[in-house]
């Protein structure tokens, strides 16, 4: 979201094209929001937790904003590594569902918001949702590592919806 906003403002300020980056960055932000919306559907957070997230978000967004101004390439690499950790975490979660450690999710139906967003079947289970989220995170990892190797003026190799 921060990268998309800064690239949008840069494009307007310089009155030049963005080379297709804005759309990809905003698509990623929307997809991450859907991961959060799915998690919120599973467990409603307390007011204290919500307040803590708001505070952490306020701090992180401002630091990331400054970091992106200084080095977009570093920020994309940083996000790529965070996404890699997410892939590892979701892989472990899938293993725990399969081996019975997360037995409560073995027979848990996918939330409606997830079935609609990822176009899962009506008989989709939580494991299917986690597989979809892991695939998203792997894609985000690849996108950010790719963008982290590019100059700000290079054409984005990822088209809309890719």
């Amino acid at each position: 979201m921060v990268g998309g906003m800064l690239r949008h403002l840069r494009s307007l300020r310089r009155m030049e094209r963005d080379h297709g980056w804005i759309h990809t960055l905003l698509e990623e932000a929307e997809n991450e929001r859907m991961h959060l919306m799915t998690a919120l559907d599973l467990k409603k957070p307390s007011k204290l937790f919500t307040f803590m997230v708001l505070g952490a978000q306020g701090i992180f967004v401002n630091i990331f904003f400054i970091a992106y101004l200084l080095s977009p390439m570093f920020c994309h690499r940083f996000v790529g590594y965070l996404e890699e950790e997410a892939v590892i975490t979701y892989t472990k979660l899938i293993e725990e569902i399969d081996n019975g450690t997360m037995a409560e999710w073995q027979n848990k139906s996918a939330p409606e918001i997830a079935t609609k967003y990822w176009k899962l079947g009506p008989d989709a289970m939580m494991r299917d949702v986690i597989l979809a989220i892991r695939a998203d995170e792997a894609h985000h990892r690849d996108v950010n590592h790719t963008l982290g190797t590019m100059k700000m003026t290079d054409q984005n190799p990822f088209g809309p919806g890719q």
Side-chain angles (χ1 to χ4, degrees):
M1 182 57 116
V2 171
M5 176 189 69
L6 286 173
R7 289 195 62 98
H8 173 75
L9 294 173
R10 180 177 184 259
S11 177
L12 293 175
R13 194 172 54 251
R14 293 183 177 195
M15 296 185 195
E16 62 187 24
R17 294 190 55 89
D18 171 68
H19 309 289
W21 289 46
I22 294 169
H23 196 274
T24 296
L25 295 173
L26 294 180
E27 276 182 344
E28 287 211 352
E30 170 63 12
N31 181 258
E32 291 292 351
R33 186 183 74 85
M34 290 308 297
H35 296 177
L36 175 63
M37 299 306 291
T38 300
L40 291 175
D41 196 68
L42 294 170
K43 179 153 177 68
K44 309 294 186 240
S46 68
K47 291 196 185 296
L48 176 62
F49 184 82
T50 302
F51 179 74
M52 297 299 287
V53 168
L54 182 63
Q57 187 179 55
I59 293 166
F60 180 80
V61 165
N62 285 295
I63 291 170
F64 198 77
F65 178 89
I66 292 166
Y68 202 91
L69 288 173
L70 297 173
S71 179
M73 290 174 70
F74 169 81
C75 289
H76 286 293
R77 281 294 190 182
F78 175 71
V79 171
Y81 291 121
L82 288 178
E83 299 293 6
E84 178 61 30
E85 288 302 314
V87 170
I88 292 167
T89 300
Y90 287 117
T91 299
K92 288 179 183 175
L93 180 55
I94 291 164
E95 290 170 1
E96 290 180 359
I97 291 170
D98 290 345
N99 72 22
T101 307
M102 289 285 296
E104 64 272 17
W105 279 17
Q106 283 180 325
N107 298 313
K108 184 170 182 58
S109 296
E112 182 180 356
I113 191 169
T115 58
K116 285 182 180 178
Y117 181 74
W118 284 286
K119 298 178 177 72
L120 302 173
D123 58 341
M125 305 303 280
M126 272 309 299
R127 186 180 192 284
D128 301 313
V129 174
I130 301 303
L131 284 169
I133 292 173
R134 183 180 66 173
D136 289 345
E137 300 294 10
H139 179 69
H140 297 319
R141 172 200 60 206
D142 296 344
V143 167
N144 279 284
H145 280 311
T146 300
L147 296 180
T149 64
M150 297 170 58
K151 295 179 192 142
M152 294 284 285
T153 55
D154 288 346
Q155 184 66 35
N156 175 7
F158 303 97
Q162 289 184 325

